Amino acid sequence: MASSSINNTVSGEPAKTTGQFHSVKGTVVETIGNVTGATSWQQSGKEEHAAGEAEYNAAQAKGYAEGTIDRLGGKKDAVIGAVTGDRSQEAAGNVRHDKGEAQQEFNKNA
């Protein structure tokens, strides 16, 4: 039952939504296996659930790292803009910093 292409998003990058889908699907398949006594379904479900959880966690870590990059890059731009008197660079840097901070918050471990 578990697919060899669990991480089959268009870009090949991990995604939270497909990770959640495969996690839930794996749990359902495993439950069916438990109810029917089909050990192949139980194992397949466990594997798909684990692969889905791994993809979700990878996507979360990637999102957090991207937020960190935006946050630091934004801070740098804001400081350079403030020092040079370039208010538009300073404002753009502040926006990028805030966007990165929000992305980090969204992707932090619960």
Side-chain angles (χ1 to χ4, degrees), residues 39-55:
T39 56
S40 65
W41 281 57
Q42 292 170 355
Q43 184 61 35
S44 175
K46 284 180 186 177
E47 290 171 5
E48 186 159 3
H49 173 79
E53 290 295 310
E55 181 175 359

Side-chain angles (χ1 to χ4, degrees), residues 80-104:
I80 290 172
V83 168
T84 62
D86 184 345
R87 296 297 170 223
S88 96
Q89 182 179 9
E90 182 180 4
N94 285 331
V95 168
R96 183 176 176 198
H97 173 271
D98 293 348
K99 176 185 168 242
E101 194 170 47
Q103 189 170 5
Q104 282 184 309

